[in-house]
Amino acid sequence: MGADFSNVPAFQHLSAVAKRFADRVAISDAAHQITYSDFLARVLTLARAIATAAPEGQAVGSLLRNSVWQPIAMLACMAVGRPLVPLNPCDPVQRLAAIVATGRISVLIGQDGINSAEWIEKEDLQWLDITRVSEPSATASSLAPVSVDAPAVVLSTSGSTGQPKGVVNSQRSLLQRVQQYVDACHINAMEVFMPLSAPTTIAGCREMLSALMTGARLHIADVEALGLRGLRRQLRSQQVTITYIVPALLRAVVAASETDGFESLRVVRLGGEKVLWTDIALVRKVVQPHCFIMVSYSSTETTGTQWFLPNDFKEQDFCEHDFSVPVGYLSPGLSFAVVDDCGAPVPVGQVGELVIKSMYVLLGYWENGGVFPALPDPDDERCRIFPTLLSMRMDCSRWSDEKDVSLKLMGGVSSRPNSRLSYARFLG
């Protein structure tokens, strides 16, 4: 995609793609099909409305079901430099209200008819109905330029260990994930994406952008509404070529369906949780021999590793000794180390915590309407450091950019309150 891809804002990429593929379907769901020219027009119209409603730098929330409106809201916010905080309509009202309050959100993009009117009114939020506000108009005012290094998307953690945290990613970080994906899989405008991940997750954002930045078609499926057999029917009827799926959902879909419906797939990307060799066997059972199986590790805070399972790998040769699949090789643009509890490198072959530094990791966390910054790299002001709290084993225990280092996910490690001091000591 070119060395400068992540230096250019997403809206500029979209404009170029829409000019080239104006009449091609950009996004679809069970009820809609929108061409690239119409998609761009809706993004522009909504972007102007957002710029009028929300001051520069203020986060904007979205409360949308899985539909064609999700990527329109995301690209519109990126176009005018307003950080987007996507909310899941299925979440409890208490969680939604807490995220809105912590993020100092005053504008909410949604669809009329969502059953959340009471708490929205209570929070005194300005409501933008996306179906009406994004209706293309004849107005052709230009948009001010935005920085790819400014906050772009704020994704909320589960809050399982306390209050949800808003992880802030820049457009540069998101576009780097797209570039890694597109280059690795040779993605082109003839692809049909059907990601089986929520748009409120980093995987969902990556999948949507990867399709729309390349001129491919993005088909959005509502997993809860369709059910397992319905998902299989969608894969077949839409002739999907690329899908992202977590192992737990993969097992359920395959168990609930026949082996047909998967023939059109060219790439199956597995991630989001530990991948087992039995999962690889399940995929190979239902796809064609030419289909690529991609295993990756990433998180909301950082991209990480990826690799493709060679066709001559026999999973039964591995599962007798180790049930889980390696998460692959370091992605471009990252450096990493595996360290002990004091932040010192562990011996080769030993297990420690994976720490990543890069200009593509999270900017920080969204608190009280602004960014609480991530740990800076003292040697490079463009980079930041992210302790993943994941146990990894590798064959190199120093900072490394080598492409032949394979990582093995071993599990989680407990959070350490003094981690900033430990990593600073290690870097020093």
Side-chain angles (χ1 to χ4, degrees), residues 91 139 144 414:
D91 282 348
T139 307
S414 59

Side-chain angles (χ1 to χ4, degrees), residues 32-317:
H32 305 87
Q33 277 196 349
I34 299 178
T35 64
Y36 268 99
S37 59
D38 190 28
F39 181 79
L40 178 63
R42 286 184 175 276
V43 168
L44 269 170
T45 306
L46 180 59
R48 296 187 187 105
I50 292 169
T52 301
E56 186 175 353
Q58 185 180 94
V60 173
S62 68
L63 189 67
L64 296 163
R65 303 183 185 94
N66 284 11
S67 68
V68 295
W69 307 113
Q70 288 274 6
I72 291 175
M74 179 174 66
L75 268 298
C77 285
M78 286 184 177
V80 290
R82 304 307 193 265
L84 175 67
V85 184
L87 304 171
N88 188 341
C90 297
D91 282 348
V93 169
Q94 294 84 348
R95 172 180 165 85
L96 298 177
I99 294 172
V100 166
T102 303
R104 302 282 179 87
I105 295 169
S106 63
V107 178
L108 196 58
I109 303 168
Q111 284 176 270
D112 287 349
I114 288 182
N115 297 324
S116 302
E118 186 175 337
W119 80 266
I120 291 170
E121 185 175 338
K122 183 178 178 182
E123 297 292 331
D124 194 27
L125 299 173
Q126 181 178 350
W127 180 259
L128 298 181
D129 176 30
I130 193 170
T131 57
R132 290 187 291 105
V133 177
S134 70
E135 192 67 37
S137 65
T139 307
S141 59
S142 60
L143 300 177
V146 299
S147 169
V148 294
D149 293 309
V153 175
V154 181
L155 299 172
S156 300
T157 62
S158 64
S160 57
T161 58
Q163 290 295 319
K165 292 190 293 185
V167 179
V168 185
N169 276 290
S170 65
Q171 288 197 43
R172 184 186 298 279
S173 299
L174 295 168
L175 291 171
Q176 172 71 357
R177 294 176 189 251
V178 170
Q179 183 169 11
Q180 291 170 355
Y181 196 9
V182 171
D183 288 349
C185 297
H186 295 192
I187 294 169
N188 59 71
M190 302 308 293
E191 311 288 1
V192 180
F193 279 72
M194 193 176 96
L196 301 180
S197 53
T200 54
T201 65
I202 191 65
C205 293
R206 180 197 62 228
E207 299 293 311
M208 290 191 294
L209 284 172
S210 296
L212 296 168
M213 298 294 99
T214 55
R217 178 158 70 89
L218 172 65
H219 184 72
I220 298 180
D222 190 326
V223 176
E224 293 183 6
L226 286 170
L228 298 176
R229 293 182 183 274
L231 286 179
R232 189 199 68 179
R233 288 193 293 270
Q234 289 283 294
L235 286 166
R236 181 173 56 218
S237 65
Q238 300 298 324
Q239 288 295 287
V240 175
T241 61
I242 299 177
T243 191
Y244 170 83
I245 188 169
V246 297
L249 181 57
L250 166 73
R251 296 164 202 147
V253 170
V254 173
S257 62
E258 303 296 330
T259 56
D260 65 323
F262 305 89
E263 295 86 356
S264 61
L265 287 170
R266 188 178 72 81
V267 177
V268 174
R269 180 167 183 163
L270 298 173
E273 59 191 42
K274 186 176 290 188
V275 180
L276 306 179
W277 286 109
T278 50
D279 299 324
I280 304 301
L282 274 181
V283 175
R284 285 182 166 155
K285 175 183 174 183
V286 297
V287 300
Q288 296 296 308
H290 62 264
C291 179
F292 291 100
I293 303 173
M294 183 181 191
V295 176
S296 63
Y297 156 74
S298 66
S299 68
T300 309
E301 295 87 354
T302 179
T303 184
T305 61
Q306 60 188 32
W307 72 309
F308 294 94
L309 271 294
N311 285 334
D312 59 355
F313 264 45
K314 304 300 182 184
E315 50 273 2
Q316 61 268 23
D317 295 341

Side-chain angles (χ1 to χ4, degrees), residues 357-359 375-385:
K357 71 173 182 179
S358 172
M359 61 191 300
L375 186 66
D377 179 2
D379 299 322
D380 188 344
E381 63 181 12
R382 300 172 304 166
C383 294
R384 297 166 298 280
I385 298 168

Side-chain angles (χ1 to χ4, degrees), residues 351-362:
V351 175
E353 181 186 358
L354 175 67
V355 182
I356 292 177
K357 71 173 182 179
S358 172
M359 61 191 300
Y360 304 112
V361 302
L362 79 164

